[in-house]
Amino acid sequence: MLTRRKFLGLGAAVTTAGFASSCSSVLPEPDVQAAGFGQDATGTVQVWCRAATQSGLTDLVKKFNASQDRLTVELTPVLDAQYVTKLATAIRGRSVPDLVDIDDINSMLFIYRDAFTDLTEPLAALDFRDRLSPGHLRLATKDKRVYGVPYLADNSMFWFNTELCDRADVDPDEAIKSFDNLLAAARKLRKLGDDIYAWSFPANSPGALGFVVQPMVWAADTDLIQGPVGSQSGHIVGNDVVRQMLELHRQLWVEGLVPRANFSDDASRWGSDFRAGKIGIFPSNYSVVVSASDPAFHRKVTPRLLSGPDGGSAFFDGGDNMCIPRGARNASGAWEFVRFALDLPQQIDLPAGGYTPVRSDARTAEFAKKYPLATLPLEQIQHGYAPTTLSYNLLYNQPDGPWLQMFRRAVFDGELEAAMKEAQQNYDRILRQGQA
Amino acid sequence: MRLKNTFYLIGGGGAFLVFAVPLLWALFRSVQPNDVIVAAPNASTFFHLTWDNFRTLIEGPGNLIRAVGNSLIVALSTAVLTTLLATLAGYGFARFRFRTGPLLFALVVVSMMIPFQAILTPLYLELNVLRLTDSPLGLVLFYTTVNLPFGVFVMRNSFSSVPVELEDSAHVDGCGTLRMLGSVLRPLITPGAATVALYAFLAAWTEFLGALTFLTKEKLYTLPVALVNVQAGAYGEINFGSLVAGSVIAMIPCVVLYVGLQRFYVSGLASGAVKG
């Protein structure tokens, strides 16, 4: 007879068995070399994308679903701040989507834990493989194997308000040649009026600040992190470029060349001051400057790559990589969708959604005419960079992370030495823990 | 007397303004374009009113109308199930004497003190094994579980406040337990049940973290998740136009229900808190 005690015991045993069966660490990898992979697939493809890029992806999915009737793509936008946690939980629960369109900076986190499929061979078969953004690919490459495909680019650049520059006699090309020139240009711009500022940076938003300020260090061929993944450490104390970058921003603040509101700017209204025509030099991206403003304003702005203490060029190679998680049920369909997303007509359409293509050959004459402010990173695609690390979020995106703390302490409190020393210790600690 | 009335008017008027101004301000902002909301106030653009924010929400990629439907289904189901279970459990705890009764009731009340956020990952894994993730049913069961302790507490106290003699008379007249619950006690416990229903509805309607964690299909997203997705940018930018218009849409059922049921709600809370 099934007594209550036996029933409860049985229930506990079944539950334990259920959990035990779901505890194996790595999911099975789809066979990407099987004959017919990525061709004439059928069924449904579950795709996750970032909420921030859902607008363009929604149109892409509609276009793909309308282009054939074998395969249906279902798109799920996931909040940017929750993406890593949610994907990790899905992998842990062995219930993964077929394709993830993930912030490229987070790709390595999953690649390092064997969560994504090796796409080296299918990628090599693409005839435009050599034209794909090298910065994006670097973030998806481990031991010369590639685990992700670039889809869209989100790059940081200097944006100059040409109307203000003309009035202040500032030449953008001269200004970016050194930090001294930039500071001199900023002083001239500030003299245009009490409500006109030279520059603006979101000093209370770690992510946006890292996006626009780090390339000013990379332009001098150095970084705040050193070493390969697995044995990385901070490169801050003794790094003269980092010191000069902080000194430049300190000077901008002390001399009142930036709005006081920068102190608490969390990027929730990012770019509203620049779009209102009140800022001369604005490090930001295409989406913030161009997508949110009208065509009359577009004629007043010109982009330049971010530069270092003695010139040089760099931009943050942000954006999305498309990766197929291990355990995907329709990897073949996912790859078919990836190839569609990388086709030139789709790539050329990207600026309409606020982002730029990842194929250098997308910069056609027609493209340049339609999106003149989106061509610069494509022409200089080799200057794109982003650090490959497992700890990017902890270092750069957390409000209590060492990047923001160092910047604020150095720029607002003027304690440059102490800020750099403290950051060095925290970078070392976080990188060590992340690689353990 | 006149002085007292004046104070009453000033106090009441002040309290009204404190609560009404933010709501009216949200209504006004919801019909302003985003770039006007984020810019410094400018007399020339301040009164350019438009329905664009609502249009973007309804026609844009967020599928807000579907999200409202999902939220209504989940919140109403949660309210009904919670009220039903809390009523039955509350009656049991209030009227039946059994050895482990006080201990069980203490356990139910103690469980109110554990925030579900603390056990979110185990909950996800458990629901995943039971195939209840990506399912409105899973979400309803989860919300019901979270809301039940408070519901049982209120309903037990509601039943305790009803004189036992009333039930004894009904028994003498040949009334069974369920019939008595439905016919004799129902009018007396309506305030408590309305409180439980309203509380469960509002909690399910506004809940974000659980829905975000347990749902991975956009067509199942509830309103709070869809709203955050629509207004959030890559670097923390917020589309204030979408945000405030979405908030206006989200507040409609809450205001309607609250105004409709507030009489019950207040007396139900009092019976739960004082008479128990």
Side-chain angles (χ1 to χ4, degrees):
Chain A
M1 188 186 152
L2 191 65
T3 61
R4 187 163 61 170
R5 182 168 300 207
K6 276 184 189 166
F7 176 75
L8 289 175
L10 194 66
V14 169
T15 311
T16 312
F19 278 118
S21 68
S22 65
C23 285
S24 141
S25 60
V26 177
L27 293 167
E29 187 170 19
D31 182 5
V32 297
Q33 298 197 53
F37 177 78
Q39 287 166 358
D40 300 326
T42 53
T44 306
V45 179
Q46 300 289 344
V47 179
W48 284 13
C49 74
R50 295 194 283 151
T53 58
Q54 68 173 312
S55 176
L57 259 296
T58 305
D59 292 339
L60 177 72
V61 166
K62 270 187 200 155
K63 210 169 157 185
F64 179 77
N65 286 342
S67 71
Q68 42 72 50
D69 53 9
R70 292 172 285 108
L71 201 55
T72 308
V73 171
E74 286 182 3
L75 184 70
T76 300
V78 178
L79 194 60
D80 290 48
Q82 300 289 334
Y83 203 104
V84 169
T85 316
K86 205 162 163 57
L87 182 56
T89 317
I91 292 169
R92 178 69 183 75
R94 305 176 74 85
S95 164
V96 293
D98 299 304
L99 183 72
V100 289
D101 180 58
I102 188 172
D103 190 338
D104 60 358
I105 206 78
N106 290 326
S107 321
M108 189 51 70
L109 198 59
F110 291 96
I111 293 167
Y112 203 75
R113 309 286 179 209
D114 291 329
F116 288 162
T117 305
D118 184 346
L119 297 172
T120 313
E121 273 74 30
L123 199 57
L126 299 175
D127 55 7
F128 50 83
R129 164 75 172 78
D130 296 339
R131 302 194 183 98
L132 289 171
S133 160
H136 280 69
L137 284 170
R138 212 175 296 126
L139 292 170
T141 305
K142 181 186 163 217
D143 300 332
K144 296 188 178 165
R145 308 297 296 174
V146 192
Y147 296 82
V149 189
Y151 164 55
L152 59 78
D154 181 14
N155 307 316
S156 52
M157 290 174 279
F158 277 133
W159 294 86
F160 288 84
N161 182 323
T162 52
E163 194 177 77
L164 297 181
C165 286
D166 287 347
R167 277 170 54 197
D169 193 24
V170 165
D171 176 2
D173 291 316
E174 280 301 312
I176 57 170
K177 282 185 176 166
S178 71
F179 281 176
D180 288 341
N181 285 14
L182 277 169
L183 198 56
R187 286 173 180 143
K188 282 188 195 172
L189 283 160
R190 183 69 178 99
K191 284 182 185 152
L192 289 176
D194 282 348
D195 62 339
I196 305 289
Y197 288 90
W199 196 296
S200 180
F201 52 78
N204 203 24
S205 168
L209 196 68
F211 180 63
V212 297
V213 174
Q214 282 185 94
M216 297 169 79
V217 174
W218 307 336
D221 294 326
T222 181
D223 194 352
L224 292 93
I225 299 172
Q226 60 187 357
V229 175
S231 58
Q232 284 182 328
S233 59
H235 181 35
I236 295 168
V237 169
N239 189 335
D240 197 43
V241 179
V242 174
R243 169 196 298 280
Q244 290 183 66
M245 175 274 290
L246 292 171
E247 277 171 350
L248 170 70
H249 287 89
R250 168 77 181 155
Q251 216 52 40
L252 291 171
W253 175 252
V254 169
E255 294 185 27
L257 304 176
V258 295
R260 296 285 100 177
N262 276 186
F263 182 83
S264 56
D265 187 349
D266 61 358
S268 59
R269 304 187 306 148
W270 199 18
S272 57
D273 48 4
F274 183 71
R275 293 192 297 268
K278 305 287 186 193
I279 305 291
I281 305 170
F282 181 53
S284 186
N285 63 2
Y286 182 85
S287 168
V288 168
V289 172
V290 182
S291 299
S293 58
D294 55 57
F297 182 71
H298 299 169
R299 288 190 284 277
K300 290 187 203 167
V301 295
T302 180
R304 294 290 182 279
L305 295 192
L306 294 161
S307 56
D310 302 308
S313 295
F315 60 85
F316 198 114
D317 214 340
D320 288 355
N321 275 335
M322 285 186 165
C323 306
I324 300 178
R326 281 170 170 244
R329 276 163 295 202
N330 195 352
S332 180
W335 186 250
E336 196 170 331
F337 178 64
V338 168
R339 279 196 287 114
F340 181 83
L342 288 175
D343 274 349
L344 271 185
Q346 281 70 258
Q347 284 287 306
I348 288 173
D349 264 354
L350 280 169
Y355 297 95
T356 46
V358 290
R359 285 178 60 169
S360 57
D361 56 347
R363 193 221 170 281
T364 57
E366 182 200 354
F367 179 85
K369 195 176 168 198
K370 199 169 174 189
Y371 303 112
L373 296 173
T375 57
L376 185 58
L378 287 175
E379 290 158 1
Q380 309 273 334
I381 205 162
Q382 74 281 5
H383 289 299
Y385 174 80
T388 308
T389 170
L390 305 181
S391 307
Y392 192 89
N393 277 324
L394 291 173
L395 293 171
Y396 292 103
N397 284 340
Q398 302 285 346
D400 60 346
W403 157 252
L404 189 68
Q405 282 180 356
M406 173 182 76
F407 188 89
R408 290 184 69 86
R409 194 171 174 190
V411 172
F412 298 131
D413 301 339
E415 297 170 359
L416 206 133
E417 291 297 333
M420 289 175 70
K421 196 174 164 195
E422 183 187 40
Q424 176 73 45
Q425 289 167 353
N426 286 328
Y427 267 63
D428 288 347
R429 177 180 52 79
I430 289 170
L431 286 165
R432 197 169 50 244
Q433 288 168 349
Q435 292 161 153
Chain B
M1 195 62 193
R2 180 174 284 178
L3 192 68
K4 197 176 164 190
N5 278 346
T6 312
F7 276 126
Y8 181 77
L9 268 177
I10 293 172
F16 169 77
L17 286 179
V18 165
F19 289 101
V21 166
L23 285 177
L24 295 174
W25 189 242
L27 282 174
F28 179 66
R29 286 297 207 182
S30 70
V31 288
Q32 277 188 328
N34 186 54
D35 51 352
V36 173
I37 299 176
V38 298
N42 181 336
S44 65
T45 58
F46 201 69
F47 292 100
H48 282 178
L49 305 183
T50 164
W51 294 106
D52 280 358
N53 295 328
F54 290 97
R55 204 170 293 131
T56 309
L57 286 179
I58 291 164
E59 294 170 4
N63 270 317
L64 219 76
I65 296 298
R66 187 164 61 194
V68 168
N70 290 339
S71 271
L72 273 178
I73 292 170
V74 169
L76 285 174
S77 309
T78 303
V80 170
L81 193 59
T82 307
T83 312
L84 190 69
L85 292 176
T87 305
L88 294 175
Y91 184 72
F93 279 123
R95 287 292 183 260
F96 299 133
R97 298 276 164 252
F98 50 104
R99 206 165 31 142
T100 51
L103 180 70
L104 279 179
F105 185 67
L107 270 178
V108 168
V109 175
V110 162
S111 69
M112 274 199 277
M113 295 169 195
I114 302 167
F116 78 85
Q117 292 85 346
I119 52 168
L120 205 57
T121 304
L123 267 176
Y124 175 84
L125 295 175
E126 194 176 305
L127 286 175
N128 203 40
V129 168
L130 298 170
R131 303 260 183 266
L132 283 173
T133 48
D134 276 336
S135 146
L137 175 65
L139 214 55
V140 170
L141 291 177
F142 165 66
Y143 289 152
T144 304
T145 311
V146 171
N147 287 307
L148 257 182
F150 176 75
V152 172
F153 179 70
V154 170
M155 291 315 293
R156 175 189 178 268
N157 292 348
S158 289
F159 281 113
S160 296
S161 65
V162 177
V164 186
E165 289 75 13
L166 206 61
E167 290 174 54
D168 290 342
S169 324
H171 273 306
V172 171
D173 290 340
C175 188
T177 305
L178 281 179
R179 169 119 189 260
M180 181 166 56
L181 203 59
S183 307
V184 181
L185 296 179
R186 187 177 47 79
L188 299 169
I189 55 152
T190 301
T195 305
V196 174
L198 190 60
Y199 185 83
F201 180 88
L202 292 181
W205 180 259
T206 55
E207 203 282 329
F208 170 72
L209 191 62
L212 179 78
T213 309
F214 300 139
L215 301 177
T216 53
K217 287 200 170 77
E218 198 208 7
K219 61 183 178 193
L220 297 175
Y221 275 178
T222 53
L223 188 59
V225 181
L227 253 185
V228 173
N229 269 346
V230 166
Q231 55 82 18
Y235 301 97
E237 305 104 296
I238 295 173
N239 186 328
F240 285 96
S242 297
L243 179 66
V244 73
S247 308
V248 167
I249 294 175
M251 75 167 83
I252 293 170
C254 301
V255 172
V256 170
L257 264 180
Y258 194 82
V259 170
L261 296 180
Q262 62 143 336
R263 192 162 46 93
F264 297 119
Y265 186 64
V266 172
S267 57
L269 266 187
S271 77
V274 182
K275 293 182 189 168

